[in-house]
Amino acid sequence: MIRIFLLFVILFSTQIGSPQDKDVKNNQSTILIYGSDTCHYCIDTKKFAEQHQLKFIYFDIDKDEKALKEMLIKLRQNNISTSNLNLPVVDKNGLVFTNEIDFSSFLKKLIE
């Protein structure tokens, strides 16, 4: 179901909406995490960020259409395929990456 929704958004998105507020845009140290509350990797990533006291904002792409569009645009801009998307997607100061490697290595990228 989410794949169909993602395809629909990719094909028909016309506006680029940013769910970030001005304070987040001005602060490059804030990590953006795009995920789903039904994804255990996403939940574990949030917990990891909290435990390491990382400054982050989490967007549930199942509930926030603007965040979903923003995430898809960032993936396309970074030549990351959206056809078989692995969540979560992270934007760490412009470096965009997904959970496509082993999970512990993925988490280490958050604190490097």
Side-chain angles (χ1 to χ4, degrees):
M1 184 70 174
I2 193 155
R3 286 186 183 173
I4 293 170
F5 183 71
L6 288 173
L7 181 59
F8 177 81
V9 171
I10 292 170
L11 295 174
F12 297 103
S13 64
T14 56
Q15 291 185 328
I16 301 172
S18 176
Q20 305 169 29
D21 60 22
K22 288 184 181 180
D23 293 333
V24 174
K25 286 182 181 179
N26 293 331
N27 186 346
Q28 292 297 311
S29 64
T30 301
I31 297 171
L32 305 177
I33 301 172
Y34 301 90
S36 169
D37 286 344
T38 60
C39 165
H40 70 90
Y41 289 118
C42 302
I43 294 166
D44 291 347
T45 300
K46 286 191 323 187
K47 286 180 186 175
F48 180 86
E50 289 167 354
Q51 290 170 345
H52 287 82
Q53 299 177 348
L54 301 175
K55 191 171 188 180
F56 74 97
I57 298 177
Y58 176 80
F59 299 104
D60 185 344
I61 61 168
D62 292 333
K63 298 175 183 172
D64 187 339
E65 187 176 332
K66 287 183 180 181
L68 173 63
K69 288 179 183 180
E70 180 179 277
M71 178 193 75
L72 293 171
I73 289 166
K74 288 180 181 184
L75 289 168
R76 280 188 252 131
Q77 289 174 340
N78 287 276
N79 297 318
I80 299 173
S81 175
T82 57
S83 63
N84 192 18
L85 185 60
N86 295 312
L87 293 177
V89 173
V90 171
D91 179 350
K92 182 180 176 191
N93 302 323
L95 174 65
V96 178
F97 55 96
T98 66
N99 179 26
E100 60 187 34
I101 52 181
D102 80 291
F103 190 57
S104 61
S105 296
F106 168 79
L107 292 175
K108 285 181 185 176
K109 290 176 86 172
L110 292 173
I111 56 176
E112 292 179 338

